[in-house]
Amino acid sequence: MTLQLSTRTVAWLADRPRARELVGSVWDTLTDLEHKGHHPGAIAALRFVLVHHQPPTPTGRCPHCRFTWRRLWRRRPWPCVVWRQIHHELLGPFAGGAHHRQQP
C-alpha cells in the first residue's frame, strides 16, 4: 500500500499553485523512482515522513515543524522545511516548484 496525501491537503493545494508544483514534483519523483525499481524501503520512508508533514489546519502550518532559526517556536507556512529539503535533494534547488524568486 502506497501512502497518499490527505484529501484535506489536496484541497488546500488547489488554491496554491506554487506549493502544488513543489509537492507534485516531489511526489511524482518518488513515484518514478519506485517504478524504476529503486530501494522501496527508502521511498516508503520518505513518503512516511512527508505524509506526516502536511498542513492539518486552515492556517496552512506544519504541525511538526515548530522550530526555525529565524523565528523560534513559530511555524512557517507549508510546504515546510522537510518538504523543501527533500525537494532540493531529489530535484535540485531550482527545479520545479517555482519556489525561488523569479527574475523579471
Side-chain angles (χ1 to χ4, degrees):
M1 180 176 142
T2 301
L3 292 173
Q4 296 294 324
L5 297 174
S6 70
T7 54
R8 177 183 280 171
T9 299
V10 172
W12 187 88
L13 288 169
D15 298 333
R16 294 161 179 87
R18 290 176 58 195
R20 184 176 59 238
E21 289 178 34
L22 185 139
V23 170
S25 64
V26 168
W27 212 255
D28 291 344
T29 301
L30 290 175
T31 301
D32 290 343
L33 291 172
E34 185 176 41
H35 290 308
K36 290 178 182 177
H38 290 274
H39 195 284
I43 294 168
L46 283 172
R47 281 197 178 118
F48 182 81
V49 169
L50 292 172
V51 162
H52 285 86
H53 283 267
Q54 295 184 66
T57 63
T59 61
R61 306 280 183 191
C62 178
H64 294 77
C65 293
R66 294 183 179 182
F67 180 82
T68 64
W69 290 110
R70 290 185 193 165
R71 298 179 188 129
L72 293 176
W73 300 106
R74 290 187 66 194
R75 297 177 191 166
R76 74 176 278 150
W78 196 78
C80 66
V81 68
V82 172
W83 275 90
R84 291 175 189 276
Q85 184 64 36
I86 291 174
H87 178 268
H88 175 79
E89 296 300 330
L90 287 175
L91 301 166
F94 301 113
H99 60 278
H100 59 285
R101 293 183 188 250
Q102 304 225 350
Q103 297 290 330

